[in-house]
């Protein structure tokens, strides 16, 4: 086994429950960002590329942060406290990465403080509720 496989193995559990967790995380991420777009009168059906451009930097941030923090490690949802701390850490790092990417010319929008606070705060609530629920059901 290579060092990369060993590191990845300690950060990502290869199990059906991890796949369900990842799909749930994707649903949470997309849901609250689409809700934000709707709140700003952006119709996802009429403007799918705008919505995709909103989601992309945060999705990229999530993937990087999840690997760095161990959001899919075997113990990530062992207890409710562990689940919430792990997902909160992941989301804050993912939001920082996503906001930094939005501040570039690669994506539309920018990252004013008000947006940064709202997206980070709402993401914390949504992700914490989801992961807390998953951990409480185990």
């Amino acid at each position: 086994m290579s060092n990369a496989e060993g590191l990845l193995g300690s950060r990502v559990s290869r199990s059906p429950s991890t796949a369900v967790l990842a799909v749930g995380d994707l649903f949470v991420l997309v849901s609250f960002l689409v809700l934000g777009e709707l709140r700003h009168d952006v119709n996802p059906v009429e403007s799918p590329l705008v919505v995709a451009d909103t989601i992309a930097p945060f999705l990229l941030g999530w993937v990087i942060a999840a690997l760095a923090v161990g959001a899919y490690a075997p113990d990530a949802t062992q207890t409710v406290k562990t689940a919430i701390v792990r997902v909160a850490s992941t989301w804050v790092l993912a939001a920082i990465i996503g906001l930094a990417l939005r501040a570039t010319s690669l994506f539309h929008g920018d990252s004013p403080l008000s947006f940064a606070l709202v997206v980070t705060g709402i993401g914390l609530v949504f992700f914490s509720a989801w992961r807390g629920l998953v951990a409480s059901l185990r």
Side-chain angles (χ1 to χ4, degrees):
M1 176 182 340
S2 72
N3 287 342
E5 288 174 5
L7 177 63
L8 189 59
S10 68
R11 296 283 184 184
V12 179
S13 172
R14 295 181 183 187
S15 69
S17 61
T18 301
V20 170
L21 193 61
V23 169
D25 289 342
L26 180 61
F27 178 78
V28 167
L29 179 73
V30 170
S31 294
F32 85 82
L33 291 172
V34 168
L35 287 172
E37 292 286 58
L38 290 168
R39 178 117 170 94
H40 291 283
D41 298 321
V42 176
N43 184 328
V45 176
E46 293 174 1
S47 305
L49 295 179
V50 171
V51 175
D53 196 53
T54 298
I55 294 168
F58 295 102
L59 181 59
L60 181 58
W62 180 264
V63 170
I64 293 167
L67 290 173
V69 174
Y72 301 108
D75 67 341
T77 58
Q78 189 169 14
T79 67
V80 172
K81 181 181 177 184
T82 300
I84 291 173
V85 168
R86 190 78 52 97
V87 80
S89 302
T90 301
W91 175 244
V92 169
L93 181 56
I96 290 168
I97 294 167
L99 291 163
L101 289 169
R102 276 182 59 102
T104 69
S105 62
L106 297 173
F107 299 95
H108 79 277
D110 53 10
S111 298
L113 181 58
S114 59
F115 176 73
L117 292 174
V118 168
V119 79
T120 303
I122 291 174
L124 279 171
V125 170
F126 275 59
F127 279 113
S128 295
W130 158 242
R131 287 290 187 103
L133 177 65
V134 169
S136 70
L137 295 175
R138 289 190 175 209

